Structures are given as C-alpha cells and as structure tokens.
Amino acid sequence: MPSWLLILIVGVILMIIGFSGVGSLLVWIGVAVLVVSLILGLVGRGRSRA
C-alpha cells in the first residue's frame, strides 16, 4: 500500500474521531506526497523514452 494512501486514511480517520487539526495536517501531507510522486513518475517515464 502506498505511503500517501496510508497517510490520507489515517488523516481522515483522525478528522472523523475529532482530531481535526492533526487530521487535516496529515491529509495535506498525504496530498503533497501524492503530487510529488506523480510528478516524479511522469518525469521518470519521460526520461526512459528518450
């Protein structure tokens, strides 16, 4: 299971339980990790074709 997905799941669970500050922080960190991994994946795929 990817790390960004685990971070998002934990963040959403914390937000549901009531720790909205920590939960929203983890959700934003998970989204940032997802975006960075997508960008690196696209850059790596582009380099392998050239």
Side-chain angles (χ1 to χ4, degrees):
M1 190 176 274
S3 61
W4 61 267
L5 185 58
L6 288 174
I7 294 172
L8 283 176
I9 291 172
V10 171
V12 169
I13 290 172
L14 285 175
M15 287 173 55
I16 291 172
I17 290 175
F19 297 101
S20 60
V22 178
S24 64
L25 178 68
L26 285 178
V27 168
W28 281 112
I29 290 173
V31 169
V33 170
L34 171 63
V35 170
V36 168
S37 65
L38 285 175
I39 291 172
L40 291 176
L42 290 174
V43 168
R45 187 182 311 175
R47 286 186 180 172
S48 64
R49 288 184 184 173

